[in-house]
């Protein structure tokens, strides 16, 4: 039995790629649990497996008693001394079990736990394998295509994962058994095992393809600063060279365009624009709108990253692109909102003056308080000047009040005069 057991263990290690030590530990725990369920009163269960000697030993610790009431956990003194000559009442001795003594339930329990341990080991192994390849390109084989949902099952290193419809490039055709390069976006641990998210539309796929084709990118001389992509149609790539003697754009394109051509072939003919990255926003935006020629770029709002690009009238449609694609990709690449205007537009080169920052209510009150304080101080500092013939402010105010009073009383005086005239006429 022992020979067959260890041969089966080696076969599992070879087929599943799981460490024999890990399997032995799981098997020990499984057998211990099974024995405890079969011998429910037993607390001390010992499992010993020696791979080199091919020994498989299971024993139970039984208490030495004078009279045995429960044979599953107790042993008589005479029998105990046969196993251990110096055994005394109250001691524990190890009683070895034969595998044939295991009950049917114990055997099934051990089998279930072993299978579960193997599944957990496979899941952990798969998770670690894919975790090392996150944000990398791997090659898989298409094993199944769901015609109804459009989901593709891809086998990668013996493990199956799915390529969702949303992560497939529009227009690409897939066939059973074909090999496919995919980008591993993320790996998460779930109750059913690791969940691997793969993609053919992620911008990282383009980045890794260029790293494989361009040695300057792989060794760090040329950096990919940003990527904007509409999978299956067009991609814009901004590159920067750490070495002034190395042309970043030329390195990515390659001799006669061979390097970029290989990437285009892998992406099924997707157009790729390689532009030079610049720390100056105007220069970067100008390059991002290629292949259109840009006459000028004006920053209209730095805080909200808004700008205006002026292009020749004949290249307005080229700068905007089909359904706005070129302008949209340029905006994503640079991170700026781009307003494209033709050169004939009289407002094209005009830039609005930056608005003054809005004052808060507290600031306005402080300014008003300062103004009023200044007026009061000026009023108090003025003194009557008699020598110049000017009327002091207090006297001037009094005279004005008298004039107003007389004007208000004037109508009443007129009314009294009219009444007196009527009375005199009546007497006559």
């Amino acid at each position: 039995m022992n020979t067959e057991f260890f041969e089966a263990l080696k076969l599992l290690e070879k087929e599943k790629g799981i460490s024999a030590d890990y399997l032995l530990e799981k098997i020990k725990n499984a057998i211990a649990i099974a024995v405890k369920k079969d011998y429910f009163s037993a607390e001390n269960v010992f499992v010993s497996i020696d791979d080199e000697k091919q020994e498989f030993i299971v024993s139970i610790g039984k208490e030495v008693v004078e009279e045995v009431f429960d044979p599953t956990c107790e042993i008589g003194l005479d029998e105990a001394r046969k196993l251990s000559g110096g055994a005394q009442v109250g001691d524990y001795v190890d009683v070895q079990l034969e595998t044939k003594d295991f009950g049917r339930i114990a055997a099934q329990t051990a089998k279930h736990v072993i299978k579960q341990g193997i599944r957990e080991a496979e899941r952990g192994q798969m998770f670690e394998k894919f975790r090392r390849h996150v944000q990398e390109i791997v090659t898989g084989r298409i094993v199944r295509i769901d015609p109804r949902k459009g989901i593709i099952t891809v086998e990668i290193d013996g493990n199956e994962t799915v390529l969702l419809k949303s992560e497939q490039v529009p227009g690409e055709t897939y066939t059973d058994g074909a090999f496919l390069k995919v980008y591993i976006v993320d790996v998460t641990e779930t109750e059913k095992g690791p969940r691997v998210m793969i993609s053919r539309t992620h911008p990282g796929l383009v980045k890794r393809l260029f790293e494989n084709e361009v040695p300057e990118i792989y060794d760090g001389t040329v950096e990919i600063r940003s990527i904007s992509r509409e999978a299956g149609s067009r991609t814009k790539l901004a590159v920067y060279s750490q070495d002034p003697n190395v042309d970043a754009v030329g390195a990515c394109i390659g001799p006669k365009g061979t390097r970029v051509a290989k990437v285009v072939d892998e992406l099924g003919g997707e157009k790729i624009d390689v532009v030079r990255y610049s720390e100056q926003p105007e220069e970067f935006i100008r390059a991002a709108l290629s292949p259109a020629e840009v006459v000028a770029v004006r920053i209209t709002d730095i805080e909200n990253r808004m700008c205006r690009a002026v292009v020749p009238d004949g290249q307005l449609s080229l700068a905007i692109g089909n359904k706005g694609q070129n302008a949209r990709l340029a905006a994503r690449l640079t991170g700026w909102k781009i307003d494209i205007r033709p050169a004939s537009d009289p407002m094209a080169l005009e830039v609005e003056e930056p608005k003054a920052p809005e004052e808060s209510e507290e600031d306005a009150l402080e300014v008003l308080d300062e103004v009023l304080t200044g007026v009061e101080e000026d009023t108090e500092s003025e003194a009557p000047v008699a020598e110049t013939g000017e009327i002091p402010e207090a006297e001037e105010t009094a005279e004005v009040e008298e004039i107003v009073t007389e004007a208000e009383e004037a109508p009443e005086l007129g009314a009294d005069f009219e009444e007196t005239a009527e009375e005199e006429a009546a007497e006559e």
Side-chain angles (χ1 to χ4, degrees), residues 289-307:
L289 286 171
S290 64
E293 179 185 350
V294 180
V295 176
V297 177
R298 297 287 186 269
I299 304 300
T300 57
D301 190 339
I302 297 178
E303 183 177 355
N304 295 317
R305 297 177 69 84
M306 299 174 65
C307 69

Side-chain angles (χ1 to χ4, degrees), residues 385-399:
V385 184
E387 293 81 359
T388 60
E390 295 180 0
I391 301 175
E393 185 179 358
E395 295 179 7
E396 183 179 357
T397 305
E399 289 184 4

Side-chain angles (χ1 to χ4, degrees), residues 162-181:
V162 294
L163 180 64
L164 301 177
K165 183 69 175 177
S166 60
E167 299 299 327
Q168 299 172 22
V169 177
E172 278 191 346
T173 57
Y174 307 98
T175 56
D176 288 337
F179 288 93
L180 188 68
K181 288 185 178 180

Side-chain angles (χ1 to χ4, degrees), residues 110-121:
K111 183 179 179 181
H112 174 73
V113 174
I114 290 171
K115 285 185 175 181
Q116 184 178 1
I118 292 173
R119 284 196 299 268
E120 290 177 357

Side-chain angles (χ1 to χ4, degrees), residues 68-93:
V68 177
F69 293 98
D70 187 355
T72 60
C73 60
E74 296 176 344
I75 187 173
L77 181 60
D78 295 337
E79 292 187 10
R81 286 180 174 174
K82 292 178 181 179
L83 300 174
S84 177
Q88 300 293 331
V89 175
D91 295 342
Y92 282 86
V93 294

Side-chain angles (χ1 to χ4, degrees), residues 323-335:
K323 298 180 181 179
Q325 184 186 68
N326 192 60
R328 187 166 55 250
L329 288 174
R332 293 176 188 171
L333 187 73
T334 60

